[in-house]
Amino acid sequence: MTTLLIVLSMIVLFAVVLVGMSVRVLREYERAVVFRLGRLITSKGPGLVVLIPAVDRMERVSLRTVTLKIPVQEVITRDNVPAKVTAVTYFRVVDADRAIVEVEDFLAATSQIAQTTLRSILGKAELDALLSERERLNEDLQKVIDQQTEPWGVKVTTVEIKDVEIPANMQRAIARQAEAERERRAKIINAEAEFQASTKLADAAEVISRNPTTLQLRYLQTLHEIGNENSSTIVFPLPLDLVRPFLESRGRAADSGEAAPRTPAMIVPPHRDGRVNGSRTLARRHSLR
């Protein structure tokens, strides 16, 4: 009786071990690549997968997107500038059977392909393109890497250049170039502003020329604006229209032999202390000859 119990216990234990060896549970993002006596059969999963003990061998493959960081790569650009570039690749397995059968380690193989392609593609680009056209370079890298990994059942979805490190002397040269470019733009903008201002002044002059009184009103407005400021000296432009009658009368008097009228007095501005120098005249009259 005791011997029978021991035998039954051993049979039950053996059955439990066989069930444990033959039953697998796969998650939603996992697939099972099953080899039966060395031959590939249809992949299974997710859920419960039953295997034949000692006959079937299973390889578990994840279908989730893998983030692969590409190590720092030393690249020499097309214009012979050394640079250190780091990037990241996003890929996922779309065919679990080929990912196991066609390549020994699809993760390592994808990493090596990404490194060599990164050096090859960036070596054909100039430094300016490497710094300013990353989106285009990312697309080129993604297409090339995806074409090479497609036979393995691996789909490369995105390749992003993370960082580009260039020598310090090249950074200073780029800074000088950017500064010169900004100065050029500033000069162009200043020239355009001068051109627009001159155009507006020409339009204003045309409007003022239709009515000379407008110019006098503008002078008075300017004097009013200067008077509101704390200034001891006023520079007032004398319009020629005010002097023209005296010039004309001077010419008529010279022709007739009469005494010519004098020009208006030019007021001398006072000193800063508000006093007027007594040794100097308050007004100086100049006669036009």
Side-chain angles (χ1 to χ4, degrees), residues 17 27 32 64 66 72 96 126 155-156 191 194 196 253 276 284:
V17 172
R27 299 180 178 89
R64 292 181 296 180
V66 179
V72 179
E126 295 184 355
K155 174 64 178 178
V156 178
E194 292 291 339
Q196 295 177 2
V276 179
R284 178 176 300 174

Side-chain angles (χ1 to χ4, degrees), residues 207-219:
V207 174
I208 292 175
S209 64
R210 300 172 185 172
N211 189 358
T213 307
T214 308
L215 184 60
Q216 304 298 330
L217 295 176
R218 182 59 181 168
Y219 287 150

Side-chain angles (χ1 to χ4, degrees), residues 11-68:
I11 292 175
V12 172
L13 180 61
F14 183 72
V16 171
V17 172
L18 287 180
V19 171
M21 293 176 60
S22 61
V23 176
R24 296 288 188 274
V25 178
L26 299 181
R27 299 180 178 89
E28 183 65 30
Y29 56 84
E30 292 179 332
R31 295 295 182 271
V33 179
V34 181
F35 294 90
R36 180 166 295 169
L37 297 177
R39 299 190 63 178
L40 177 66
I41 62 175
T42 305
S43 59
K44 299 180 180 180
L48 185 66
V49 177
V50 179
L51 304 176
I52 300 176
V55 176
D56 293 342
R57 184 175 63 87
M58 186 191 76
E59 294 287 345
R60 193 186 301 263
V61 179
S62 176
L63 302 184
R64 292 181 296 180
T65 300
V66 179
T67 303
L68 178 63

Side-chain angles (χ1 to χ4, degrees), residues 72-77 81-85 127 130 164-167:
V72 179
Q73 301 296 313
E74 294 184 358
V75 179
I76 298 179
T77 60
V81 177
K84 294 182 179 180
V85 183
L127 181 61
L130 181 59
V164 178
E165 182 180 352
I166 58 178

